[in-house]
Structures are given as structure tokens and as C-alpha cells.
Amino acid sequence: MSSTRRHLGAVAAAVMAVSLVAACGSDDEPAADGGSPGGDGGDEQVTISVSNLPPATESATREAFLARVEEFEAANPNITVEPSEYEWDVTTFAAQLAGGTLPTTFEFPFTDGQAMIERGQLVDITAEVQALPYADSFNPSVLEVAQDDSGSIFAVPTTAYGMGLHYNRAMFEQAGLDPDTPPASWAEVREYADAIAEATGQAGFAQMSQNNTGGWILTTLTYALGGRMEDGSGDDVTATLDNDGTKAALELLRQLRWEDDAMGDNFLFDWGTINQAFAAGQVGMYIGGSDVYNSLVTENGIDPDSYGLTVLPLEGGDAGVLGGGTIVGVRPDASEAERDAAVKWIDFFYMSKLTQQDAALADAEALVATDAPLGTPALPIFGAEQLAESDAWVADLVNVPLEQMMPFKESILDQPLVPEPPVRAQDLYAELDAVVQAVLTDENADIEALLETANGNVSSLVEAG
Amino acid sequence: MSATIRWVRGGGLSTLLLLLPLLLVFGYFAWFPIGRAVVMSFQETNLVADPAWVGLDNFRQVLDDPLFWTSVRNTFFFTGLALLFGYPVPLVLAVVMSELRRGKGLYSGLAYLPVVVPPVVAVLLWRFFYDASQTGVFNTIFGWVGLGPFAWIQDASSAMPSLVLQATWANAGATVLIYLAALTAVRGDLYDAAEVDGAGLWRKIGHVTLPQLRGVLLITLILQVIATFQVFTEPYLMTNGGPQNATVTVLLQIYNYAFRFGDYGAATALSVLLALFLAVMSAVYFRLTRSWSTT
């Protein structure tokens, strides 16, 4: 009896073990070939997956997206499109890429483009992009975020924004300030912040400082004050974190924090939490991308009447504004046929909104139908005239308080656009996070010494390449 | 040959086959990734293209990083503070609770409650409590007795103790239960004998309770040290390493290498260093405490 039981146990264990191995094996197979057939171009059948399908809760925009997919497949019978709700996230990107679950095309921010190109996480699509009819019309300073040193193209910029000063109009009024006359100099920013803090008990001005955003905004402020974080180009780049612009920027933060006590009590903001605080009426002014309003509406439920946007004051000879935006890239292991199909999709889905009136109107109508914001000021992907033209196509549908954003919209195109530091930008930002935090949390922080140390650390990274 | 048959007949084969699923699951989900991590620590990889062997470069990079020693110092600081507060508190609570005649279940339930709260929720709640303004939850409470306002996690000097406070609150309950279970195994006649000899409460604790618990105490100490050396959730969610890198820990640094900067070689190199350190420390610990151990 006991022997029979033992044999039964052995058989059961063997079945379990074999089925486990089989389960592991069957999981592996689709991942190994990336889940889609490869090919060498031409008219052969190809399947690509595409990102940013709106979730089911946003039914109108989702349906509009799916309708565009059908339209695309009808126009390209050899291409099958599998829409995915995937949204780019720096923390999961590499694992999903390795695991074969990343869509063939995906959107990501300008600020991560160079690092991804350096790490070989995007495929070269120069030939496919060059074949597009508008390839020569891209705004060069925008396209360069998707290019390597040799000029090869790894992604397509689809939206661009400039950094701006967001302000709470209601808090301005509470402090006796005119919300239609936002600050035009950094001295005025300081003065206004002080008045808001005094009148409301909240932060008159706040600054991001975590997850590389401290360095990102300090770089913005540095550019606005005429400084640069890196000097040179190509292989000859040197870190210049201890430039006069950065010193002036940190000094401004120090004064706002310690002399005026106008920055509230929270100094550990990142992009998400500062938006939250701003929408909740806890922050009078802060620096961020001009497209932030979209997120403030959809994620933070801001009261549109309280929102105001103006350009950053530019002071100093070489002052400029840092730009940002969204680019769309293709998986590094995409076959030639997948690359070709992916760029066709990018052209059809993203670029036609900018270049064709019908597509622009259809997209705008879908956005408005779900109360998604439309009309937030943007920077031109191609040229100012083209932007004005595409803005005019959808002008009647605009549902954002554009009047309150006019101080930005009217002046942003006159401000020189400066790209992000060309080498190891994210490492540089991370290093500066600690510097910003030091100035905001330590009254006796030595700005010169902090920048000297940070510059030394970043220099060794830049030299290593 | 006969030995093999004897092994099969003796149940060796069926034992192995029954063990096989477990071995496969552990092998695939635990040992294989550990092995891969060790290999990866000598490579440069983007997880897509073929990795390149870089020798000890990743280890050099990690050790040369200015944040390496900061993170090591911070981790030791966290571990030290966590031991200072987190080690005796559950023991005291357990001893006190074991002395209670009524409501033992209620108190052990209350002590365990924080463990039931999901760690992310607990940390985010405490971040809210730590609001540095006058109207923050803790500052309001301290304000009633004329103290504060304190900067809590907004200041480099108070950020780490704030994290330790939260971690102690969150984790003490589980250790209390272990001690309570161990206390039930302490023979009552030892206390009776001590009482007959005229021992008071403190002597009974010092000469009966603690010596009887020493096996459990030794294990919980090393487990706590290993766990606190791997502290991540609290600094990641509460301060993200700030202010001024005051709460950057070794594990947060590993996370940043891998998921913020996509440098998997450096991340695995630092992981290997941490694992080696903990293994050596554990071995030394058990050797040093061998004579005290009850097993």
C-alpha cells in the first residue's frame, strides 16, 4: 500500500514538473520573436503594435483612436495595427523592452531622448523619416532632440513646448496683484511671491527638486539668466555647472526661501506633486512646461478660471528658454518592414494632425468630445507659420482659457529656444537635485562650494562619455 | 546498481520528483535571476543587444561614485537608528503584553495593525502627517504642548530619524508577535522558582525571560539588520533620497542605477556588493554568537 502511494506520488510530481516546464516554455516563445513577424519591407504582411490607446474610461477618444487605426489599415492593407494602452515610463521601459512587451512605436519625452539613443534603445529610422514629404521642414532645434551626433534620426518629434511660469490668478487677486499683468522680471517674481505668501499663507513660489526635476528646472532658470550647463559640442563638451547663471538662479532661490520666506514649507516636490499642490491652490507660481495645463485639468481637476501662464523673464546676454515635448520612437529590434510600417503610422497618426486640416479637425473634435483640453500653447514642430495655420484650423473648438495664457502665447516665439545639455543630461539633473535641495533646506548652504562639487562630479561623467 | 535500486525503493526518486516543482520554481524565479545578476555585474547591457563584457568596470564605477559612501553611511545610520528604536520596542511591548491578565488579544491585534496596512499606503500617510507647516498633523499635535513646528522630512538632519520612526511603527507588530509566541514557551515554573528566591519583576525579566528568549533574540536581530540594510520603500516614497542626499540608501542607489539611469551593470554590481557584505556579516555574526545560541 505504501509502495503504491509512493509511486502515485512520483507520477503526480512528474506531471506537475513537466507541466511547469511546459508553462515556462510556452511563455518564452512569443517573447523570443518580439510578438510580431519580421520582414524585409515591401508589401508583405506586417504587424506593429502602437502605444497610447486611450483607456476605456475615455470612450470618445478611444473610439476616435480605433477609428484612426481602421482608417490606417484600410489605407495600408499589408499592415496590421495592434493598439496598446502602454504609456512610456522610464522605470519600466527597459524591462518591457527586454521582455518583448513594448509596443513597436511609443511616445516619450524630449528629456530622455539622448540617453535612450546613447543606450541603443531606439532604432535608426533616418531613411524612413527622410522619405517623408516634410522631412526638410522640421524645426532643426526640435529635431535635434531625436538625433545623435552624426545627425542620424531615431525618433520623430510630435509636440513641443517651451518652459513657462504658471501662476494662480485667484491667489494673485488675493494678494492685490493684477492677474493680467504677470511678473516680467525675476525681481518682480520675487516681489509677487512675497506678496502672495504674505496674503495667503501659502507658497508664493515653489520649485521642483526630486527625480531629476530639481536639476531640470534649475537648468531652465539658468538659461533664463543667461547661463549654460555645458559648453561645446560633439566629443568636446565640458560641464559648466558653476556658471554665473546657475549661481544667480540659486541665489534667487535662496532669497525667495530664506530672506522672503515665500516658498512655503514643502521643498521635496517633483512634477506630479507640484502640479497637485498648484491645482489645490497651495502654490502661487512655479516653472514648468507650457503643456502642463493639460495634466492639471485631466489629473488634478484645476479650476480653469484660476490658471495663468506667462513666459519666463529672460535676463542676461545669452538668455533663452528651455524647450521640451514628445517624440515617438521605434523599438530597437524592429525589422525593416516593422520600421517602415511604424514610420507610416507615425506619419499618419501624429504628423497629419499638424499638416492636414481634416485630420487636425477630427483629432480636435475627439478631444473636445471628452472634455480633454484643446488649444494649450505649443511650440512649432516645423515653423511658426505652419503652427499658426494648424492652430487656425481648430480655433473654433479651443476649450482652454486661452486668454489667460496669452502673455505666454504672444511672447514665446520671440524667445530663443535652447536645447537640453547635450551630454548626460539626466545625470546632471540628478546631481543638481541635491544642490537645489541644499539651498532650499539649509540656510547656510554654500552655493559656490555646492556647484564646485557638482561640477566636478558631472565633469567626470561627461569625460567618460 | 543495487544502491540506486535501494535509493529508488527507499523513496528517494519520489522525494526528488515531489521536490522537483519547488526546485524548478525556485530555480527559475530566484536562483536563475541571482545568477544572471552576478553575470550582468560584469557586463554592459541595454537588455536588447548582446551584452559586452567589461570586467570589473561596473564595480569601479559604483565604488567611485560620490554617492556610494553617502549611501553606505546613510544605510548604516538607518540600521543603527532602527536597531536603537526598533529592536527594544517590540521586546518591551511583548513582555508587557505577556504580563497582562486581560485584553492580551486586543493589544496584540493593535500592535499588529500597522503591519496590515499596505506599506505604500502607510508611508504616504506618514508623509502627509510629516507636513512641515504649522498646520501639519504632527506639528499641530506638538503645537498643543508648545513644541515645534518641526521640519521632519524637509530637513537633512531630521529626515532619516523621521523615516526610522515610521519604519519602527510599521514593522514592530510582526516582531511583537514572534516574541509573544516565544514567551509562551518560557516555563512558568522558572518564574515560580525565581519568585520563591525573592526575585522582583526586573530580575525575573533579566534572569529568566531574556535568557530564555536569547535564541529568538539572536535571530530577530540578524533578520532586522539584514532587512534594514535593504531599506527602500521608506526613502523611495517619503523623500526619494533627499533632502541633499540625506536619505539615499544603498538599495535606493541600486534602484536609481537601474530604473532612473538604465545602467543595469552598475545596479547589479552594487547588488552583488551588498549581498556579499550581508553574507559575510551574517557569517561573522553567527560565529561570534555561537556560544550564546540555544541551537
Side-chain angles (χ1 to χ4, degrees), chain B residues 156-169:
Chain B
S157 59
S158 58
M160 193 61 100
S162 303
L163 298 195
V164 172
L165 196 62
Q166 192 278 333
T168 305
W169 170 86

Side-chain angles (χ1 to χ4, degrees), chain A residues 372-396:
Chain A
L374 173 79
T376 306
L379 286 185
I381 295 291
F382 298 110
E385 281 179 21
Q386 196 280 330
L387 178 67
E389 190 184 17
S390 58
D391 277 354
W393 293 335
V394 298
D396 291 342

Side-chain angles (χ1 to χ4, degrees), chain A residues 239 241-242 431-432 434-435 446-460, chain B residues 66 245:
Chain A
L241 278 68
D242 50 355
E431 187 69 36
L432 288 172
V435 174
D446 182 344
I447 291 174
E448 297 261 350
L450 286 166
L451 285 178
E452 196 184 326
T453 308
N455 196 54
N457 294 342
V458 174
S459 291
S460 51
Chain B
N245 297 323

Side-chain angles (χ1 to χ4, degrees), chain A residues 4 20 31 37 43-44 59 79 116 129 131 160 162 211 293 307 339 406 409 430 456:
Chain A
T4 312
L20 184 76
D43 286 336
E44 72 174 277
S59 58
I79 303 174
M116 287 163 69
V129 174
N211 290 328
Y293 180 76
Y307 180 77
R339 282 205 307 271
M406 285 320 270
K409 199 169 167 70

Side-chain angles (χ1 to χ4, degrees), chain A residues 17-29:
Chain A
V18 170
S19 52
L20 184 76
V21 172
C24 292
S26 66
D27 266 359
D28 270 355
E29 279 156 22

Side-chain angles (χ1 to χ4, degrees), chain A residues 6 10 13 17 20 90-91 94 97-98 119-120 210-212 265-268 426 430 433-434 437-438 441-442 457, chain B residues 9 11 14 17-18 20 24-25 28 46-48 66 132-133 153-155 239-240 242-245 255 259-261 264:
Chain A
R6 247 197 329 261
L20 184 76
V90 67
T91 58
L97 181 57
R119 291 197 293 262
Q210 283 190 323
N211 290 328
N212 300 5
D265 302 294
N266 188 358
F267 312 105
L268 294 177
Q426 295 301 321
D433 273 3
Q437 289 171 7
T441 60
D442 178 3
N457 294 342
Chain B
R9 288 213 172 135
S14 52
L17 284 173
L18 275 171
L20 205 55
L24 284 171
V25 169
Y28 193 76
N46 64 0
L47 300 181
V48 180
S133 66
I153 57 171
Q154 303 289 337
D155 185 272
T239 55
N240 210 274
Q244 304 170 57
N245 297 323
Y255 173 86
F259 300 111
R260 201 157 140 197
F261 301 114
Y264 291 88

